[in-house]
Amino acid sequence: MAAFLAGGAFLSTGTASAATTLAGTCSGAVNGSMGDTVAIQGSSVKELVRKGAQDYVNSHLWTALSVWPNSLADTIAGKGALPVGEVPNAAGGTIAGSAIGGVVATALKGANGLGVLDSTKNEVLSSISAHVAQGCGLTTVATNYVAPGQQGTGGTGTTPGGTGTVPGGSTGNLSNLNPGTAGGTGGSAPMRDYSGIPTATAGTAVAPGARYPANGTLPGDASAPQAGQGDQSGQSAGIRDAGNAQSLASNGGSNDVQLPMLLAVIVLAGVTAGLVRTWVLRRAS
């Protein structure tokens, strides 16, 4: 008696854990838990069944009296929920329209209005299955799916150089972690070292055109020859003073009046006299 009761309790538990997710239509997406059975209402494929049977009658007119599209549509609508698949053990999946069409054709076997001959019945069911497959198709979404990288939590390493479990259930090298304390405080990662990152230092602002001279020296460098210092004949064009002007030698003293100056004075005197004469004659007239 005890064994019987235990077995019955086990079976009851397994039955209670199973669930059926009913889709509103035969197409679109349906949400459910992994392992749930997915079902559709027979009324959701009623018109597809009617159209499939009617298309067969239109192409085989001699079966009009034995194939009844309206009766077949009412029959499938009265079947209630039709299991067509299940939610897989993954984030999502699909239930093909061909699978739904096969379920509908199986549900209509032996129904009134499929015809008289067995060949006619099979052809009508094939036409119905093709129309359902064309108009149906479900996408399943598992609401309780958890990605493998998100399952479980692990601890941190407690000894330098060792390995341990990291969050997410994976293992890795924890040699760069500082050890934890005996009171249960977890270890910590060492401070980051930024000493290797190059930094700019303060300096004298330099004009953009003089930042990268050809000779590798900057303006103001004591090692570079300065303007006006020494002979420039052996210096490169990059550091030589602008121009090479030199004064010409003169034999006379600095106070001597040269011939060009005298000629200029004489000409200026003549022009001035002419202007005065012209002015006086105009005044007299």
Side-chain angles (χ1 to χ4, degrees):
M1 181 64 69
F4 176 79
L5 293 177
F10 177 78
L11 292 176
S12 300
T13 303
T15 304
S17 62
T20 299
T21 300
L22 187 62
T25 62
C26 71
S27 61
V30 57
N31 299 332
S33 299
M34 292 185 295
D36 284 358
T37 300
V38 179
I40 63 171
Q41 289 286 3
S43 57
S44 64
V45 294
K46 177 179 179 179
E47 294 304 321
L48 294 174
V49 170
R50 189 196 313 275
K51 188 174 186 305
Q54 188 63 51
D55 286 353
Y56 181 83
V57 172
N58 294 339
S59 59
H60 303 79
L61 296 178
W62 61 88
T63 62
L65 297 178
S66 60
V67 177
W68 308 328
N70 293 332
S71 176
L72 294 174
D74 294 337
T75 300
I76 197 62
K79 293 291 184 179
L82 301 174
V84 294
E86 66 178 16
V87 180
N89 293 327
T94 57
I95 299 177
S98 57
I100 300 175
V103 170
V104 172
T106 302
L108 288 174
K109 282 185 177 181
N112 296 327
L114 287 175
V116 178
L117 301 177
D118 291 339
S119 59
T120 302
K121 296 178 180 180
N122 293 333
E123 291 174 357
V124 172
L125 291 176
S126 297
S127 178
I128 292 174
S129 177
H131 278 75
V132 172
Q134 186 178 1
C136 296
L138 292 172
T139 300
T140 59
V141 179
T143 56
N144 60 341
Y145 173 77
V146 179
Q150 300 176 354
Q151 293 177 353
T153 58
T156 57
T158 58
T159 57
T163 59
T165 304
V166 297
S170 61
T171 59
N173 187 5
L174 306 178
S175 60
N176 63 334
L177 297 180
N178 296 326
T181 62
T185 304
S188 61
M191 296 181 63
R192 297 186 181 275
D193 184 13
Y194 298 102
S195 60
I197 299 178
T199 59
T201 57
T204 304
V206 182
R211 290 177 182 173
Y212 307 101
N215 60 348
T217 60
L218 294 175
D221 190 351
S223 62
Q226 303 300 316
Q229 296 180 359
D231 185 13
Q232 303 184 58
S233 59
Q235 297 177 358
S236 64
I239 60 175
R240 184 180 301 165
D241 290 346
N244 292 313
Q246 297 180 1
S247 60
L248 298 176
S250 175
N251 295 328
S254 58
N255 295 327
D256 294 344
V257 178
Q258 301 297 325
L259 180 59
M261 181 62 72
L262 293 176
L263 293 177
V265 171
I266 293 173
V267 171
L268 181 59
V271 171
T272 304
L275 290 175
V276 172
R277 179 177 178 278
T278 302
W279 178 68
V280 171
L281 292 178
R282 288 181 179 180
R283 295 276 297 187
S285 61

